[in-house]
Amino acid sequence: MLELGVCYYPEQWPEHMWERDAQRMVELGLTWVRVGEFAWSLIEEEEGEFNWTWLDRAVDILGKAGLKVVMCTPSAAPPKWLIDKHPEILPVDAEGHVRKFGARRHYCFSSDIYREHAVRIAGEYAKRYGANPFVNAWQIDNEYGDHDTIHSYSESAKKAFQSWLASRYQGIDALNQAWGTVFWSMKYNRFDQIELPNSLVEEPSPTHLLDYQRFASDEVIKFNRAQVDIVRKFAHDRPVTHNFMGHNTDFDHYELGQDLDFASWDSYPMGALIHGKMDDAEKARLLRTGIIDQPAFNNDLYRQVGQGRAWIMEQQPGPVNWAAHNQSPHDGMVRLWTWLAFAHGIDVVVYFRWRQSKFAQEQFHAGLLLPNDEPDQAYFEVAQVAKEIAQLPQEIADRKTAKVALMLDYASRWAALSLPQGKDYSSARNMMNWYQALSAKGVDVDIVGPHNDLSAYDLVILPDIILENAELVQKLKASNAKIYLGARTGSKTQNMHIPDNLPPGEFAQLINVKVKRVESLPEYNQDLIVMDEQRFAVGNWRECIESDEPVLARFESNHRDQSPALVGNEKCWYGAANFSGAALEHLVDRLLSWAGVPMSSLGRDVRVTKRGPLHFAFNFGEHVAEVQMPEGAEILLGRAKIAPRDVVIWRE
């Protein structure tokens, strides 16, 4: 069943408005309402002194109106009295500056004192509302990683890191070997000598930096798990989630997701466009549409993180306040994003927020209502979606396993950051390029990690799984899938060393390739490759490889002429460059044909996908588009000729 909801802050509005707000939410077609994530200082005004009256009243009003409440633990914003008592809770940035009270997310994950208080307040919330019939789900904290808050360089973090390293390596000699401390006389005699990898004269050992990122991820997972455990103790069978951020990979979402009942994420396509890396002309073209495939990619990722269950916990309803520029989306985009989410397996879309704030930091952040209570544009689009949901079958099937898997490995993302070997190298951009190229061919894609079962896929693409992984190699060998390995695959061991037999290390079991030299290239450089007697430009990253496998494409330039750019056998292909643009589009065509995956030509602004028996098509463009349906297809919503920023849903 597809459902809609909204984020609500009763504490920010007079109590006499609450009942009417709840009635209007139900009239609009909403069934869920999220509350409580920034209410700690109002609930616990001083340590041990609780005032639940107002929140009890709000939950009662919302529930009796027919709404299901998502209750949030409030640890994203510790109160001033706690900071005054324990200033060591505050995080420290990479320059050594304490990040002070006065906003949110002002805590260090490694603070034992803060973790105890976070669990304590979560427990108080859970005792109070765990059995409440109106509280039907729980959210832990809010947006881990927002404002660059995963990495702290506090004294607590240093001691915790030293302890983490001692546990990982068991002995200091093993650490010295892994980190290569004979280089530049960096040898350690004890774990308590080790510093955090910030404010150094030069960059740290890449293994030092990768281990710090592994440690920081583990700290988030430990912090989250402690709250999940206490909430489950009192909330019993009520599902628990966390609202992740799009494109933040500072911690391992897969691992944290193992402790959740479903994953959720916060969708802000307008800000993602402004802060994205595409050229200005394309940004201008998509200014009020957003990056076409960014929401779909994250919907697919968090469906995987949630092991098949996912929500959007915050859906942008209009302009936001936090980007470098904050444009308004085209009319119709909020509705389109909502249906796009449902098509990609999202079960509930929650809009941020009910009413635009009159005060504080987010005054320019739109809501469903204006500050004076008049409906804003998104209100009408949500009303339309609520009516349209009723036109579909009551039970909506889950997404089926796709034929193509695209692999995202968090540790390899950290490895690329630890040793980028190029200022503009971006694993995130590389991944999005692949996702966009596949989606533009009408191909559904599953985002997977190295831990996932790969047996059901026809094609598995590893854009840059940098770290060797013997278990993954065996899984790939055992699958029936065709495999594509991108440049940098297997280029580092788990300790960030070059493999003894050169890259791609263990992955050479799949294809006979040896990487002899790599280049990171500036943006103004474009090498040419010849593939299928066509010439394409490639840049950013290039490798000189040695292989006796059939050559599928060659470089054509004045430097090391005719060296292979793409080689392949019946099971696996290896690319010696970062393919993008026309080169990537052509490569995707070849890969899909090789793997026997059906594809179609949709045009750059149309996307199609499938959920259960339902087919969806979306037009992100400025002109009417038409999709081909089989004869006898039953259109459930829209029409075959899709208006700009519209959707059609049909059943065959």
Side-chain angles (χ1 to χ4, degrees):
M1 182 176 179
L2 309 180
E3 297 183 275
L4 304 173
V6 73
C7 302
Y8 187 50
Y9 300 90
E11 67 271 27
Q12 298 178 12
W13 303 98
E15 188 169 343
H16 68 80
M17 300 176 69
W18 297 354
E19 193 164 344
R20 176 59 181 145
D21 281 343
Q23 292 170 354
R24 292 179 76 182
M25 291 174 192
V26 173
E27 291 166 2
L28 182 59
L30 307 180
T31 55
W32 287 93
V33 57
R34 182 183 74 153
V35 301
E37 75 266 32
F38 297 123
W40 191 343
S41 66
L42 300 177
I43 293 296
E44 190 178 17
E45 297 175 353
E46 293 290 344
E47 187 171 5
E49 298 178 9
F50 294 95
N51 173 21
W52 298 102
T53 305
W54 69 270
L55 189 53
D56 288 349
R57 171 82 172 139
V59 169
D60 193 61
I61 288 172
L62 294 166
K64 286 180 177 176
L67 294 159
K68 295 176 284 189
V69 173
V70 179
M71 182 62 71
C72 305
T73 68
S75 52
K80 187 64 165 68
W81 60 259
L82 182 55
I83 300 302
D84 289 344
K85 183 177 181 180
H86 296 290
E88 65 272 24
I89 284 170
L90 293 170
V92 176
D93 70 17
E95 284 71 45
H97 302 133
V98 174
R99 305 181 77 175
K100 299 185 294 185
F101 178 89
R104 59 179 175 173
R105 300 222 54 80
H106 44 279
Y107 68 82
C108 174
F109 283 101
S110 296
S111 169
D112 291 336
I113 293 172
Y114 186 63
R115 191 180 302 115
E116 291 170 5
H117 277 278
V119 170
R120 180 184 61 81
I121 191 62
E124 295 293 342
Y125 265 63
K127 289 176 200 174
R128 189 80 179 185
Y129 300 109
N132 189 300
F134 302 137
V135 176
N136 285 261
W138 287 79
Q139 176 189 300
I140 304 299
D141 205 272
N142 184 76
E143 293 186 335
Y144 294 142
D146 193 20
H147 313 303
D148 298 320
T149 50
I150 298 301
H151 302 128
S152 175
Y153 301 88
S154 67
E155 193 64 24
S156 295
K158 184 172 80 169
K159 291 179 179 178
F161 183 46
Q162 292 167 347
S163 177
W164 184 91
L165 291 170
S167 176
R168 178 177 178 84
Y169 289 104
Q170 297 297 303
I172 197 67
D173 290 342
L175 179 140
N176 281 315
Q177 181 70 24
W179 287 18
T181 57
V182 296
F183 197 80
W184 286 352
S185 190
M186 298 182 294
K187 183 176 181 291
Y188 298 100
N189 298 320
R190 304 183 311 276
F191 285 103
D192 63 8
Q193 292 179 321
I194 298 170
E195 300 283 351
L196 295 169
N198 65 310
S199 301
L200 308 184
V201 174
E202 254 281 17
E203 69 267 14
S205 157
T207 321
H208 185 172
L209 189 51
L210 177 58
D211 274 348
Y212 172 71
Q213 291 169 333
R214 286 167 167 154
F215 152 77
S217 178
D218 285 353
E219 294 291 271
V220 178
I221 291 160
K222 182 167 63 174
F223 179 89
N224 182 78
R225 184 176 296 148
Q227 288 198 52
V228 169
D229 288 346
I230 194 70
V231 167
R232 285 217 171 100
K233 181 177 179 181
F234 297 103
H236 306 295
D237 60 345
R238 309 293 166 82
V240 179
T241 191
H242 170 75
N243 59 326
F244 298 89
M245 298 172 63
H247 296 301
N248 179 286
T249 54
D250 289 344
F251 62 98
D252 190 329
H253 297 181
Y254 299 135
E255 188 172 354
L256 191 142
Q258 295 297 311
D259 293 325
L260 305 175
D261 297 297
F262 65 97
S264 57
W265 75 285
D266 295 349
S267 176
Y268 291 96
M270 296 287 93
L273 173 80
I274 292 296
H275 292 165
K277 298 296 185 182
M278 63 179 57
D279 63 49
D280 288 348
E282 186 68 356
K283 282 187 177 182
R285 190 179 78 83
L286 299 174
L287 183 67
R288 301 189 185 280
T289 301
I291 302 171
I292 290 175
D293 295 297
Q294 186 265 354
F297 172 88
N298 283 283
N299 291 330
D300 289 341
L301 169 62
Y302 290 112
R303 192 181 69 251
Q304 184 63 251
V305 170
Q307 300 160 77
R309 300 263 69 90
W311 293 17
I312 289 180
M313 196 61 82
E314 296 183 15
Q315 175 58 64
Q316 176 176 359
V320 299
N321 67 294
W322 47 263
H325 303 281
N326 296 286
Q327 73 279 25
S328 178
H330 277 300
D331 291 354
M333 285 307 303
V334 173
R335 171 177 172 266
L336 186 152
W337 290 325
T338 303
W339 279 116
L340 184 74
F342 289 148
H344 282 265
I346 299 296
D347 297 317
V348 181
V349 174
V350 179
Y351 302 94
F352 187 89
R353 49 189 280 164
W354 175 243
R355 185 185 290 107
Q356 184 178 348
S357 179
K358 291 182 178 180
F359 51 82
Q361 284 93 327
E362 294 182 352
Q363 296 177 49
F364 286 118
H365 198 305
L368 300 186
L369 300 180
L370 296 168
N372 68 350
D373 253 10
E374 293 179 25
D376 203 349
Q377 171 63 24
Y379 184 95
F380 301 108
E381 296 184 31
V382 173
Q384 182 178 352
V385 172
K387 292 176 182 176
E388 291 168 343
I389 288 174
Q391 300 175 32
L392 298 186
Q394 190 69 19
E395 293 299 323
I396 301 296
D398 293 336
R399 291 265 291 199
K400 294 180 180 179
T401 301
K403 294 182 180 296
V404 178
L406 191 57
M407 188 168 290
L408 188 161
D409 174 37
Y410 286 89
S412 288
R413 288 284 179 95
W414 307 332
L417 292 170
S418 300
L419 203 61
Q421 185 59 11
K423 182 179 179 180
D424 62 345
Y425 187 88
S426 170
S427 293
R429 193 187 325 162
N430 194 20
M431 173 71 80
M432 184 54 68
N433 285 343
W434 275 98
Y435 187 88
Q436 289 173 321
L438 290 161
S439 297
K441 297 295 180 183
V443 174
D444 282 337
V445 179
D446 286 345
I447 309 300
V448 299
H451 62 288
N452 286 118
D453 179 10
L454 304 176
S455 60
Y457 295 104
D458 293 338
L459 175 63
V460 179
I461 297 170
L462 287 67
D464 56 356
I465 305 300
I466 289 174
L467 297 177
E468 281 191 306
N469 188 325
E471 184 178 345
L472 172 59
V473 170
Q474 295 309 310
K475 195 182 296 186
L476 291 167
K477 287 174 68 175
S479 76
N480 292 319
K482 305 293 189 183
I483 311 298
Y484 176 81
L485 305 178
R488 301 196 74 170
T489 298
S491 57
K492 296 289 178 282
T493 68
Q494 289 289 322
N495 286 331
M496 288 297 287
H497 298 188
I498 296 173
D500 289 342
N501 59 341
L502 298 182
E506 296 277 356
F507 291 92
Q509 295 179 49
L510 294 164
I511 186 167
N512 184 15
V513 168
K514 186 177 289 185
V515 179
K516 306 294 287 288
R517 177 176 292 185
V518 302
E519 298 179 275
S520 60
L521 302 170
E523 291 184 358
Y524 50 78
N525 180 87
Q526 290 289 307
D527 277 357
L528 291 177
I529 65 166
V530 179
M531 182 165 39
D532 298 328
E533 299 183 352
Q534 299 181 58
R535 285 176 172 77
F536 300 97
V538 295
N540 182 258
W541 188 270
R542 173 178 171 170
E543 297 176 349
C544 180
I545 64 173
E546 184 179 277
S547 176
D548 60 6
E549 303 280 11
V551 176
L552 308 177
R554 290 188 180 277
F555 289 106
E556 184 182 86
S557 71
N558 293 326
H559 181 61
R560 295 176 180 260
D561 281 355
Q562 304 300 302
S563 64
L566 179 69
V567 296
N569 56 41
E570 292 183 358
K571 173 70 173 177
C572 181
W573 291 6
Y574 185 94
N578 268 0
F579 292 86
S580 61
L584 181 58
E585 291 174 17
H586 188 80
L587 176 57
V588 163
D589 278 345
R590 289 202 60 180
L591 286 168
L592 294 173
S593 296
W594 174 52
V597 177
M599 55 181 157
S600 55
S601 297
L602 303 172
R604 63 178 179 175
D605 294 330
V606 176
R607 296 292 183 268
V608 297
T609 191
K610 187 177 181 183
R611 178 171 180 170
L614 302 185
H615 296 254
F616 298 76
F618 301 88
N619 182 6
F620 289 83
E622 296 289 339
H623 306 287
V624 173
E626 186 167 5
V627 292
Q628 298 300 315
M629 302 179 190
E631 187 175 346
E634 177 189 6
I635 295 180
L636 303 175
L637 179 68
R639 57 188 63 185
K641 291 187 176 181
I642 317 174
R645 294 170 290 282
D646 206 348
V647 55
V648 59
I649 306 173
W650 71 94
R651 179 168 49 196
E652 296 180 359

